[in-house]
């Protein structure tokens, strides 16, 4: 009789009632992102969004600079 117990446990863990433990925060986020306060949309999430934005921009700029460096290095062959 172990199989019915296991299947009941799986059904409970994957059913829609298991998701109701979390509070719906969508209305709060909608109010935050729909405010007119002259902050760019990608920074309205607060400090975490600011850090993620800066890290992403730094990686993009660093990757672009490194790509240009490699392109320049490859375009001038060594003399033998």
């Amino acid at each position: 009789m172990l199989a019915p117990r296991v299947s009941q446990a799986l059904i409970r863990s994957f059913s829609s009632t298991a998701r109701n433990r979390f509070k719906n925060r969508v209305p709060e986020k909608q109010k935050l992102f729909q405010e007119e306060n002259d902050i760019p949309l990608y920074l309205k999430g607060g400090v975490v969004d600011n850090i993620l934005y800066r890290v992403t921009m730094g990686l993009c700029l660093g990757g672009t600079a490194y790509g240009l460096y490699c392109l320049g290095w490859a375009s001038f062959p060594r003399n033998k």
Side-chain angles (χ1 to χ4, degrees), residues 11 14 20 25 28 35 44 49 62 72 75-76 78-79:
I11 289 171
F14 290 114
N20 292 337
R25 295 184 303 175
E28 298 169 15
E35 285 179 355
K44 283 192 176 185
D49 277 354
S75 64
F76 296 108
R78 294 184 182 188
N79 295 331

Side-chain angles (χ1 to χ4, degrees), residues 33-69:
F33 284 102
Q34 290 176 354
E35 285 179 355
E36 188 62 41
N37 54 5
D38 295 332
I39 297 176
L41 182 64
Y42 51 87
L43 295 177
K44 283 192 176 185
V47 176
V48 176
D49 277 354
N50 198 356
I51 291 170
L52 286 173
Y53 172 73
R54 290 179 189 271
V55 167
T56 303
M57 288 305 292
L59 287 172
C60 288
L61 292 174
T64 301
Y66 182 69
L68 291 174
Y69 167 76

Side-chain angles (χ1 to χ4, degrees), residues 2-44:
L2 182 62
R5 290 183 188 167
V6 172
S7 65
Q8 284 294 328
L10 287 174
I11 289 171
R12 276 194 212 122
S13 65
F14 290 114
S15 70
S16 62
T17 58
R19 295 183 198 151
N20 292 337
R21 287 184 260 166
F22 301 109
K23 182 182 175 188
N24 185 8
R25 295 184 303 175
V26 172
E28 298 169 15
K29 294 292 184 182
Q30 283 177 338
K31 286 179 187 176
L32 174 71
F33 284 102
Q34 290 176 354
E35 285 179 355
E36 188 62 41
N37 54 5
D38 295 332
I39 297 176
L41 182 64
Y42 51 87
L43 295 177
K44 283 192 176 185

